[in-house]
Amino acid sequence: MFDTATTSPSIPVDLDEMPPGPRLAAVLVGIDVRSLAGHDRVTVLRAHRRMAAHHDAMAYDATAAVAAWYEQECALHDCAGPGCAFDSTVAEVQAALRLTRRAAENDVMHACDLVRELPAVWEALRAGRIDFRRAWVIAMGTSHLDAPIRRLVVDEIIDRAPGWTTGQLRARLRQHCLDTDPDDAALRYRTAVEHRQVTLQPTVDGTADLYGTGLPPDRAQAAMARIHALALAAKVNGDDRNIDQIRADVLLDLLEGAATPGRGVRGTVDLRVDLATLAGLRDRAGELNGYGPVVADIARQVAEGQPDAEWRFGIVDPDTGAILQTGTTRRRPTAAQRRHVEMRDLTCIFPGCRMPATQSDLDHTTPWAQQRRTGASGLGSLCRHHHVVRHRAGWSYERLPDGDYLWTSPLHHTYTTGGQPP
């Protein structure tokens, strides 16, 4: 079905390991990517991305250098106003790059932040290990921390950041921030909840956007789970709207007090938390499947609560992340194997996918027809899209001893995706 050739004589054998710089740039200039086999086209794509990341880092360094020049000049000439150097730098960058003032301000602030405050992130970008998207996520996701704690969090995640999507990286950052400074996290959480609100905004196409902000994550996740369960019930009963349309209409029906399909259907919300936190002996972040990390106190409240939804919990080893026990706070699930796999995987296990495991299919790692048996160790959570792609295109995967999954693409590239959060 697919071109499975794996080699081309026109590219260096070490291209995938070649660091960005003059040699890599010279090699890439001489490659006609469309003349290559499919496997090598992916290798060239990654090489170009490494070079792009390298150039982004050098551009940020140059921007910070322009800012340093204006700061020095303003200091020498005793310029009035603390913002003189910054405003002058922004004006220079705005004119030089033909940017809006707001875009130039963001560019200057981000460049100075990376170069001066987050040298490990800038170096990873310069070396092509991460791209500008991941650098931006790290900078923004740690910006609320004091400088020493911020660098500590960065040091903990920077080596693993290349293997995560921006969505996975954002979630891991939230978890590390919660774990590194739980007192600050709890204070920020209480402050944000105190300012919770619902806002209504008109859109340019005549519709409206309804936002709930600053909501407690456990209640928001429970509400979303119920909306999704009601929408699925309507879909099963033959509703011809797509699932997003049904969820939006269910939300309005519930708020207006109108009858909704599938009334009495309860959603399922998964909580993952280590035993020491559950017992109140430490304050490590828990994780709500489909939402992400939550402060320890919320994790304990969820585990102890008895809402109408079916709450599933998984108790994990704080050092290894291995599941020690699973259960529900209300009724027993109809499939123990599904519960175990969903709590183990949390999300679809395809590289980079964040679809919750509770909304995914159970896939046999080895096709059932070949083994004629079903066990949790031989099952993986795959969203419907990646489940279809996996079988239709010929992807294969295996679960590794450390809980990660090793995938092999039709072009014979391998990718590792984490089966357990760090």
Side-chain angles (χ1 to χ4, degrees):
M1 182 185 302
F2 292 99
D3 170 19
T4 58
T6 59
T7 60
S8 298
S10 55
I11 68 169
V13 294
D14 64 339
L15 184 60
D16 231 358
E17 291 76 38
M18 198 177 295
R23 181 186 172 216
L24 179 57
V27 169
L28 291 175
V29 166
I31 293 178
D32 177 10
V33 68
R34 286 176 175 77
S35 69
L36 304 178
H39 178 275
D40 291 338
R41 295 183 186 194
V42 176
T43 301
V44 171
L45 166 63
R46 288 199 288 227
H48 277 294
R49 287 299 185 187
R50 290 200 303 279
M51 281 302 307
H54 175 80
H55 286 304
D56 283 333
M58 301 314 295
Y60 285 137
D61 190 45
T63 301
V66 172
W69 187 90
Y70 272 110
E71 289 165 357
Q72 183 179 29
E73 289 298 303
C74 286
L76 289 173
H77 296 91
D78 195 23
C79 293
C84 178
F86 177 77
D87 291 340
S88 297
T89 304
V90 168
E92 188 76 47
V93 171
Q94 177 182 356
L97 302 183
R98 298 295 190 269
L99 302 176
T100 65
R101 189 181 73 174
R102 179 59 58 84
E105 287 176 348
N106 290 336
D107 221 29
V108 172
M109 287 189 293
H110 187 47
C112 292
D113 190 38
L114 282 183
V115 174
R116 300 174 182 177
E117 305 299 327
L118 299 174
V121 179
W122 180 85
E123 177 56 33
L125 185 66
R126 188 194 68 82
R129 295 194 300 272
I130 63 173
D131 60 9
F132 78 93
R133 300 177 187 87
R134 289 168 178 81
W136 180 266
V137 167
I138 295 172
M140 297 305 295
T142 59
S143 60
H144 62 282
L145 300 174
D146 292 337
I149 296 178
R150 190 184 192 197
R151 293 194 179 189
L152 178 62
V153 170
V154 168
D155 289 342
E156 290 175 345
I157 61 94
I158 192 63
D159 290 337
R160 289 175 288 175
W164 294 330
T165 67
T166 53
Q168 293 170 324
L169 177 58
R170 194 174 287 110
R172 269 41 176 207
L173 275 173
R174 290 203 306 269
Q175 182 172 353
H176 279 292
C177 290
L178 293 175
D179 289 340
T180 304
D181 195 349
D183 292 337
D184 176 70
L187 176 61
R188 287 187 293 106
Y189 169 80
R190 291 193 297 268
T191 301
V193 170
E194 288 176 0
H195 293 86
R196 63 191 180 277
Q197 60 179 325
V198 174
T199 58
L200 179 67
Q201 297 181 4
T203 67
V204 294
D205 52 14
T207 61
D209 291 336
L210 183 65
Y211 296 100
T213 58
L215 306 179
D218 55 325
R219 295 188 63 190
Q221 182 67 6
M224 188 62 195
R226 177 163 174 77
I227 290 171
H228 183 70
L230 292 172
L232 285 180
K235 199 67 178 174
V236 169
N237 289 330
D239 198 309
D240 59 359
R241 295 169 293 176
N242 65 46
I243 195 67
D244 287 325
Q245 292 171 335
I246 300 176
R247 280 194 290 249
D249 292 342
V250 165
L251 172 64
L252 294 177
D253 288 342
L254 289 171
L255 293 177
E256 293 173 346
T260 57
R263 187 171 293 279
V265 175
R266 297 187 297 173
T268 298
V269 180
D270 295 334
L271 169 70
R272 185 180 185 126
V273 59
D274 68 59
L275 185 58
T277 296
L278 198 60
L281 302 177
R282 65 183 298 177
D283 286 322
R284 187 172 184 179
E287 179 154 338
L288 283 175
N289 191 8
Y291 171 78
V294 293
V295 295
D297 188 53
I298 288 297
R300 286 189 286 266
Q301 290 180 37
V302 170
E304 296 167 359
Q306 295 287 336
D308 290 336
E310 176 190 30
W311 290 91
R312 301 178 180 181
F313 64 87
I315 303 175
V316 301
D317 186 292
D319 298 318
T320 66
I323 293 179
L324 302 177
Q325 182 180 348
T326 62
T328 62
T329 61
R330 298 285 289 182
R331 62 186 181 189
R332 290 180 60 83
T334 58
Q337 287 178 333
R338 171 175 284 277
R339 185 182 72 196
H340 180 89
V341 174
E342 289 172 350
M343 289 302 304
R344 181 193 69 202
D345 294 341
L346 292 182
T347 66
C348 168
I349 61 174
F350 189 84
C353 186
R354 296 272 296 163
M355 178 66 72
T358 53
Q359 299 175 27
S360 300
D361 300 335
L362 288 184
D363 179 63
H364 286 82
T365 308
T366 301
W368 185 84
Q370 297 179 18
Q371 58 182 356
R372 311 298 292 182
R373 64 182 178 84
T374 298
S377 62
L379 296 172
S381 303
L382 285 179
C383 70
R384 183 58 51 85
H385 173 77
H386 287 124
H387 195 177
V388 171
V389 168
R390 174 260 209 275
H391 290 285
R392 180 180 295 167
W395 288 76
S396 63
Y397 66 94
E398 61 178 306
R399 192 165 189 266
L400 302 176
D402 63 359
D404 289 353
Y405 289 87
L406 179 66
W407 284 80
T408 302
S409 80
L411 296 180
H412 305 287
H413 282 277
T414 57
Y415 309 94
T416 302
T417 181
Q420 303 280 4

